[in-house]
Structures are given as C-alpha cells and as structure tokens.
Amino acid sequence: METDGDKEKGETLVGGCAAMERTKIQTLYDACNAILCAQQGELPSFQQIHFLKNLLNRIEAVDVGIDEFGDGSPSSSPGSGKELIIGQMIDKITYIHIHECDNFSIGVFCFPAGATFPLHDHPGMTVLSKLLYGSAYVKAYDWVKLDASSHPMIGLAGKVIDGVMDSPSEPTVLFPRSGGNIHTFTAVTPCAIMDILTPPYSDNLGRPSTYFLDYSIPSLPGYSVLEERDMPEDLVVVGAPYLGQPIFTENDPCLLG
C-alpha cells in the first residue's frame, strides 16, 4: 500500500508535480523521464524502482488504448475520442509503441492465445513489466556462467521463474544480472504485457536482443544450458497505433522547472 510518505517522495522525484492531477499514463511518463533520464548510465535506486513500479501498477489496459472484451468504442476510454484496440480480436503478436528515447522505452505487447515470444535477453537493462489482462506462461533464467566470447554464445543458466502468471498481478522487475533477464512468454489466454525498458534495446550501443535455445540438465534440476540462436523465422510481430491517453513530451513545465 502506498503511504503519504511514498506520495511525497514520488512528487519530489517527478519535479514536484501533483501526480493525481495528471492521467495515469502521463504521470508514469513524467516519472520515467525525471528518474531514468537522470541516471547517466547508473542503475535506478531501489526507491526509484519501487516508485515506478507503483505507478505502473495503476495502469489498466484502457489507459493504453486496449479494450480487452468490449467493442472498441471510444466510450470505454473517457476523453480519448478514439476507438480502442479490441484485445480478444488480436490474431498476431502485436506491439504498441508508446514512447522511446535514449534512456527508456514504454510499450505493450499483445498476444493471442497460444502465441509464444521466444527466449530472449535484455543486456544491461532494467525492465519493469505488468500483465494488463489475461494469463501467460513465463519461463525465465539468469546466467550462472557465460562464455560471451563463443560464437554462438553459450552458458549455464539458473531458472528463476517457471509458471503461469495471471492478471491482476503486481508488476515484475528484472535487472541486468538477476530477476529473470532471459525469458520467454506463451499466452495461455489472450493477454497484454506492458514494459518499461531502461535503457532500451540498441544494436549500435551493444544492447541487441539475442535469442536462445534452452537445454535442460537432468542431473541439475532448475538449470539449463542456453545457446544463442538466430531470430526464429516464424516470429512475426506486427505494429499497432497507440490509441491510449495522449502523452505530452515537450514544453512540460514540470520537466522544465
């Protein structure tokens, strides 16, 4: 539960703005902008992660332009004036790009039932994720020993998560070396996962997305050998427009003062 003290700290972190006066997605963006753009390559503190996690936990599918069960009418999203993406009608893995800068990105992956996003990593990144609706099977690893110089990359990894995640649930956090940095999702039901990545993927800056095959070790339960693979040819991700509440990113007095 968020205390008055947490709220006061949060308002300081976003430049003194009263968070409740803004939309939930604007408040989240402002906090990410104030906190993550000031890190200069350093990891966010525990307090900052906790604050962002609480803000992410407030976000619902309708806030980012998705109507899980409805007809997509704009009445489901007060003030948006736009039709919504109907979650149950999505038939391919779909990415909704919300924001990206050098320091962080915000987006949503929508999955039809049965779709799998293959095992992949998040090099040097901290990632906050929230399951907005539905259920997903999640398997996640952290490296125990990695030979990054080998081609393909190969190493021993320990399993961190292996089970079904149901909404509603609190956001999860993974770190560069812990929390399940290498993971895969399979949609048990139609579902959507919202991510904040800091910093975002960048091939030019040595943060590519690398895919892996996992080979379990019968004599070491909970451990697997992970081997780098090419991006699966059958992985298809389509884009969809962001139809949620607008985010104002320029000339914001709370970010200028």
Side-chain angles (χ1 to χ4, degrees):
M1 177 180 294
E2 186 178 40
T3 65
D4 291 340
D6 291 330
K7 291 179 181 178
E8 291 173 1
K9 292 174 184 176
E11 290 181 2
T12 300
L13 289 169
V14 297
C17 297
M20 295 307 292
E21 295 177 359
R22 296 174 175 269
T23 64
K24 289 183 285 184
I25 190 67
Q26 182 71 50
T27 300
L28 179 64
Y29 163 79
D30 287 344
C32 288
N33 193 63
I35 293 170
L36 303 178
C37 292
Q39 294 306 305
Q40 300 298 321
E42 299 294 325
L43 292 175
S45 69
F46 175 81
Q47 177 192 12
Q48 291 168 333
I49 289 293
H50 181 69
F51 178 60
L52 292 176
K53 183 178 175 182
N54 282 341
L55 293 182
L56 179 58
N57 195 37
R58 299 175 184 173
I59 302 295
E60 300 176 283
V62 69
D63 297 317
V64 292
I66 305 171
D67 192 341
E68 179 187 0
F69 292 112
D71 60 5
S73 65
S75 60
S76 299
S77 181
S80 73
K82 300 177 182 178
E83 292 187 354
L84 305 183
I85 293 172
I86 304 173
Q88 298 293 321
M89 297 293 289
I90 289 173
D91 60 1
K92 296 182 177 67
I93 300 176
T94 301
Y95 182 68
I96 301 171
H97 171 80
I98 299 176
H99 175 78
E100 182 170 341
C101 62
D102 290 343
N103 299 286
F104 67 93
S105 65
I106 304 174
V108 180
F109 279 98
C110 301
F111 297 85
T116 295
F117 202 99
L119 196 64
H120 63 286
D121 67 351
H122 307 80
M125 301 178 190
T126 300
V127 181
L128 292 87
S129 299
K130 182 185 179 184
L131 183 65
L132 296 176
Y133 62 84
S135 299
Y137 167 67
V138 182
K139 183 166 59 173
Y141 298 93
D142 287 323
W143 290 115
V144 174
K145 185 174 183 180
L146 169 65
D147 182 1
S149 65
S150 65
H151 299 284
M153 189 188 311
I154 192 168
L156 176 67
K159 195 176 292 182
V160 177
I161 302 170
D162 188 3
V164 174
M165 180 169 57
D166 299 306
S167 65
S169 59
E170 288 192 2
T172 60
V173 184
L174 63 84
F175 300 93
R177 295 182 177 85
S178 64
N181 190 279
I182 310 153
H183 63 205
T184 177
F185 298 98
T186 298
V188 178
T189 68
C191 64
I193 299 171
M194 185 172 179
D195 286 332
I196 302 171
L197 279 65
T198 180
Y201 284 110
S202 173
D203 290 344
N204 293 335
L205 296 176
R207 296 191 299 270
S209 180
T210 303
Y211 297 88
F212 296 91
L213 294 170
D214 57 337
Y215 303 96
S216 61
I217 305 173
S219 59
L220 286 176
Y223 293 87
S224 294
V225 172
L226 306 187
E227 183 178 24
E228 181 183 353
R229 64 178 296 188
D230 293 333
M231 185 177 76
E233 294 182 358
D234 60 352
L235 175 61
V236 176
V237 180
V238 300
Y242 173 61
L243 302 178
Q245 297 166 331
I247 296 177
F248 300 98
T249 62
E250 296 180 359
N251 301 320
D252 190 314
C254 291
L255 300 178
L256 294 176

